[in-house]
Structures are given as C-alpha cells and as structure tokens.
Amino acid sequence: MISDMAFSFLGTGSVKAAPVYGCDCIACQRALSNQTYRRQAACGVLEVNGVRFLIDAGYLGLEEKFPPGSLDAVLLTHFHMDHVQGLFPIRWGMGESIPVFSPDDPHGCDDLFKYPGIFDFSKKSLPFEPFHFKGIKITPVPLVHSKLTMGYIVEFNGKRLAYLCDSGVLRRDVEVLLKEHPLDLLILDCDQPPQEKAPRNHNDLTRALDVYKSIQPKQLLLTHISHHLDEYFITHPDCLPDGVAIGLDSQTWTI
Ligand SMILES: [Zn+2]
Ligand SMILES: [Zn+2]
Ligand SMILES: [Zn+2]
C-alpha cells in the first residue's frame, strides 16, 4: 500500500547539537567520526499526496537538495535563526514564488520580510485556525517558547501528524486538542536529558515522555536534540519506551 504521508528529517539538532565546535564529549566525538550522528538545525520534509512541504528551514544546503519547482510550500514554526537560516541562500533565486506559512510575528528574522526574494511571507498561521493547502488540512497550534511559535497538525485521508518544535510544556488547550484526535505520528521538541525543573523553552526527556503518555500518539519522534541529550542516550541505551524513537537526520517515516 502506498502511504499517504512521508516525513523525512533533514535536521534534528538544537543550536548545541553534536558535533559542537571544540567539544570532546562522547556524543560530539561520535558525530565527528560517523556522519550518521551529525545533526543539522531543525528541518523536515513532509510529502502528502504528491505535495511537498518543507517544515522549518534550519538545514544548510537546501538550495542543492531542492531544485526550483520542487517545493510547494514552507511551514515555519518561528523566526529563530536555527529554523530559517536555510532560506537565506534561496531567496535571491529565480522561478515561481514559494508560499511560506508562518506565525504573525512582526519582527521575523533579520531582513527576510524586507527582502523576501522568491518567498511569499503573506500567509499567516493563526492559532487554532485551520487552513487548507491543495486539499490538505493544516491546523497551527500555539507553543510555549521564547518567540511567537506555532506547531502544525497536518491531516489527510484520515492520517494525522503533528510537528511541535520548539516547545516548552504544552498549553492545556493544545494538549486537549491533541488528545481528542489521535495522532499517527508526533514529532516533538526534546532538547535536554532529564532535569529536575522543566526547562522554559524546550522539553527535557522527562517532559517529552510525559507528553507521550498523555497524548498517546502511535509513534513519537524526538527532535531538536542537544549533544548533552545524545550523550545521555549513549550512556542510557534503554531509556525509551516502545513507540518512542530518537530522530536522526536523513530518516524517513511513513504513515
Ligand atoms: Zn559535546
Ligand atoms: Zn527557537
Ligand atoms: Zn530551535
């Protein structure tokens, strides 16, 4: 059976992802010696019924990976540099304009709004206001972060996926919405190993697994991973329950 949705990671790292410049921890050393464990900044590709979305754009080298005409739209969670930096080398390109759905953040990032090039930033993602793009339903949900940030729930043909990055502890209304409609795949921010206190702008592993228990998606993928968390995974190989996986750049998941 051909699946309806395929999600591929291009970047699963936080701003302090392995290999961190100059760091000699085991996670950074592993990433230096084995390409598989290198993590670029937040970025994914979602293909739904022949429509291709870029979700976040932290990956450096997008212009090589996606020739003109190969991206239908971009979904941006927020305007921190590690989520938009991959757009900068493309914006002065030629060809059709690419719609970007992003939070209504007047500040944006650097001069992207002033000089958008081939990107169309006029599409605003408003909290809990679903929109359709080429027959695919997309619902933005507000996340707790240091900048105005939206997660995205994507639905097509009875399949549901959510991408929540960057995110601190979920708002109650978002948690209720996610619990009401079961998810096939949840891609969730998890930046840190277990902490005593919940971090403000990201999840640690304890809070990410709390979300898993509460929302009960069929599959949880962890992303936005720091070298500290990778080090924890190396030293605690059995710390994840069934149904939870550590995201890796270049992995594809179909539902
Ligand atoms: Zn390190
Ligand atoms: Zn951020
Ligand atoms: Zn980030």
Side-chain angles (χ1 to χ4, degrees), residues 13-15 42 78 80 82-83 145 165-166 189 202 224:
S14 76
V15 289
H78 64 303
H80 273 151
D82 60 316
H83 294 248
H145 193 50
C165 185
D166 300 2
D189 176 307
H202 295 280
H224 214 273

Side-chain angles (χ1 to χ4, degrees), residues 23-217:
C23 182
D24 59 6
C25 81
I26 48 172
C28 290
Q29 292 310 304
R30 181 182 66 166
L32 284 173
S33 62
N34 185 340
Q35 201 65 11
T36 315
Y37 297 107
R38 281 175 176 260
R39 298 187 185 279
Q40 280 229 32
C43 194
V45 183
L46 177 64
E47 301 192 67
V48 189
N49 197 32
V51 180
R52 188 187 272 160
F53 298 93
L54 192 67
I55 304 191
D56 277 335
Y59 182 89
L60 295 171
L62 289 175
E63 68 280 13
E64 303 282 324
K65 250 190 160 45
F66 299 104
S70 63
L71 288 175
D72 293 289
V74 182
L75 301 174
L76 280 187
T77 58
H78 64 303
F79 285 95
H80 273 151
M81 188 54 95
D82 60 316
H83 294 248
V84 298
Q85 61 195 8
L87 300 182
F88 283 82
I90 298 180
R91 66 175 157 161
W92 304 127
M94 319 271 202
E96 293 217 3
S97 113
I98 303 170
V100 181
F101 296 89
S102 64
D104 194 5
D105 179 343
H107 304 296
C109 177
D110 200 60
D111 63 359
L112 268 179
F113 290 163
K114 204 169 169 192
Y115 305 108
I118 62 167
F119 293 109
D120 170 10
F121 286 101
S122 67
K123 324 268 179 211
K124 300 302 174 194
S125 303
L126 303 173
F128 304 113
E129 287 197 15
F131 59 89
H132 284 83
F133 184 82
K134 299 193 178 190
I136 298 149
K137 185 180 174 191
I138 301 167
T139 308
V141 291
L143 299 179
V144 177
H145 193 50
S146 56
K147 205 164 174 45
L148 184 64
T149 301
M150 296 294 153
Y152 292 97
I153 302 169
V154 182
E155 294 170 64
F156 183 74
N157 214 6
K159 297 288 173 72
R160 290 167 60 88
L161 165 151
Y163 178 88
L164 310 180
C165 185
D166 300 2
S167 171
V169 171
L170 288 182
R171 283 169 48 146
R172 185 80 191 118
D173 48 3
V174 172
E175 194 178 349
V176 167
L177 179 72
L178 291 169
K179 276 166 112 160
E180 272 171 9
H181 308 280
L183 290 168
D184 297 283
L185 185 62
L186 171 59
I187 301 137
L188 182 67
D189 176 307
C190 183
D191 192 56
Q192 292 292 322
Q195 308 287 313
E196 252 174 57
K197 257 182 78 183
R200 277 174 70 119
N201 295 312
H202 295 280
N203 284 308
D204 67 339
L205 184 58
T206 307
R207 277 74 194 184
L209 293 180
D210 286 348
V211 170
Y212 179 61
K213 266 184 241 148
S214 154
I215 307 292
Q216 301 190 331

